[in-house]
């Protein structure tokens, strides 16, 4: 059962435009959500997170939005840069366990 | 900049051999997680350890797989009698406290021939 879903395997955006990556989850016990970025042959690196008591968190060009009623979160990158091209993973945790549950990732390609 | 160190980066084993994957967490971190990424899939949780204790091994196959994090030295993920389906990238992550984001190593790519 896939508790964290990223339904878009890939996304292509022009440099300077906004990139919007989406993530849905099914487990209402999740109370903390994170986005990780991964380059080929490297490990994931933490990007930004949000607690379930908030609906928005912003860090520079990156903003994460959380809609708890829809069990949906999104990552906005603006303006997008070619160096942002990577696979982005959504992750969630909560309830009785501290482990992160990851989505399958979205490959973002930012075209110069 | 001593991040999470994993070795080896690449490991090739024949079917039936043993694979040992090592992970040294970031300095000061006492919580270690192992994840596996199969081709075209996301990262799947395997096991969560603190020093000398297995906290959660709900994602680890019951047979052939074991993990430890001794008082001294790196965390070890051991796979006995490897099969082709074990071929994957294995990532280790560490954190200093339970609520903090995980810091990942660059992974060990295991290929079983």
């Amino acid at each position: 059962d896939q508790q964290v879903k990223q339904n878009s395997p890939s996304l292509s955006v022009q440099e300077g435009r906004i990139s919007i990556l989406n993530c849905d989850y099914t487990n209402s016990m999740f109370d903390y959500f994170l986005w990780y970025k991964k380059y080929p042959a490297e490990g994931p690196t933490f990007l930004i997170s949000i607690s379930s008591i908030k609906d928005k968190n912003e860090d520079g060009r990156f903003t994460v939005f959380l809609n708890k009623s829809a069990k949906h979160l999104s990552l906005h990158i603006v303006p997008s840069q070619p160096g942002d091209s990577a696979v982005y993973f959504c992750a969630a945790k909560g309830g009785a366990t501290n482990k992160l549950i990851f989505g399958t990732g979205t490959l973002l390609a930012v075209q110069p | 900049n001593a991040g999470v160190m994993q070795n080896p980066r690449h490991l090739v084993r024949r079917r039936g051999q043993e694979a040992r994957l090592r992970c040294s967490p970031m300095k000061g971190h006492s919580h270690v997680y192992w994840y596996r990424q199969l081709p075209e899939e996301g990262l799947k949780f395997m096991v969560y350890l603190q020093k000398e204790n297995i906290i959660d091994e709900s994602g680890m196959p019951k047979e052939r797989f074991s993990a430890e994090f001794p008082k001294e030295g790196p965390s070890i993920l051991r796979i006995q009698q490897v099969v082709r389906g074990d071929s994957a990238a294995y990532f280790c992550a560490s954190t200093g406290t339970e609520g903090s984001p995980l810091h990942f190593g660059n992974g060990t790519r295991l290929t079983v021939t």
Side-chain angles (χ1 to χ4, degrees):
Chain A
D1 63 333
Q2 190 68 26
Q3 298 185 68
V4 178
K5 300 176 186 177
Q6 293 178 257
N7 292 319
S8 298
S10 63
L11 175 68
S12 183
V13 170
Q14 287 291 320
E15 181 179 4
R17 300 288 187 107
I18 185 171
S19 296
I20 300 176
L21 297 102
N22 294 302
C23 178
D24 297 293
Y25 61 96
T26 57
N27 190 337
S28 58
M29 296 296 291
F30 289 148
D31 58 8
Y32 193 63
F33 304 88
L34 306 90
W35 285 93
Y36 279 81
K37 174 180 176 180
K38 184 180 182 303
Y39 293 118
E42 293 185 12
T45 54
F46 169 70
L47 202 54
I48 192 169
S49 63
I50 188 166
S51 163
S52 61
I53 62 173
K54 294 186 174 182
D55 55 18
K56 177 183 174 181
N57 189 26
E58 190 172 352
D59 183 2
R61 297 185 298 113
F62 303 91
T63 303
V64 55
F65 295 92
L66 176 62
N67 182 336
K68 281 191 297 181
S69 61
K71 293 193 177 67
H72 177 84
L73 67 155
S74 60
L75 174 68
H76 292 210
I77 306 173
V78 56
S80 301
Q81 300 173 353
D84 296 329
S85 298
V87 176
Y88 288 79
F89 289 99
C90 170
K93 66 176 179 176
T97 178
N98 193 50
K99 66 192 180 199
L100 286 182
I101 307 298
F102 281 85
T104 51
T106 296
L107 174 61
L108 173 66
V110 180
Q111 310 295 338
Chain B
N1 179 18
V4 178
M5 303 301 293
Q6 289 188 250
N7 67 82
R9 289 297 308 273
H10 300 275
L11 182 61
V12 179
R13 285 286 179 267
R14 290 201 178 102
R15 276 181 299 170
Q17 292 184 320
E18 178 178 286
R20 279 194 180 208
L21 289 65
R22 294 174 189 78
C23 169
S24 296
M26 284 183 71
K27 188 176 181 180
H29 285 188
S30 59
H31 302 251
V32 166
Y33 299 76
W34 285 93
Y35 283 81
R36 175 165 67 174
Q37 185 179 23
L38 294 168
E40 309 301 325
E41 293 188 15
L43 292 97
K44 302 289 187 187
F45 168 80
M46 298 184 75
V47 62
Y48 164 35
L49 311 102
Q50 292 181 26
K51 282 286 187 182
E52 300 185 277
N53 290 307
I54 295 175
I55 307 302
D56 182 347
E57 56 181 347
S58 58
M60 197 131 80
K62 296 287 186 285
E63 297 180 355
R64 302 189 297 108
F65 285 73
S66 62
E68 62 178 14
F69 188 17
K71 188 176 179 181
E72 302 290 338
S75 175
I76 306 286
L77 178 67
R78 183 185 295 117
I79 311 172
Q80 295 177 302
Q81 299 171 357
V82 296
V83 300
R84 288 226 173 103
D86 297 331
S87 296
Y90 292 82
F91 291 96
C92 169
S94 73
T95 184
T97 56
E98 277 198 2
S100 302
L102 301 184
H103 296 265
F104 282 83
N106 284 332
T108 293
R109 274 145 191 86
L110 172 66
T111 302
V112 179
T113 62

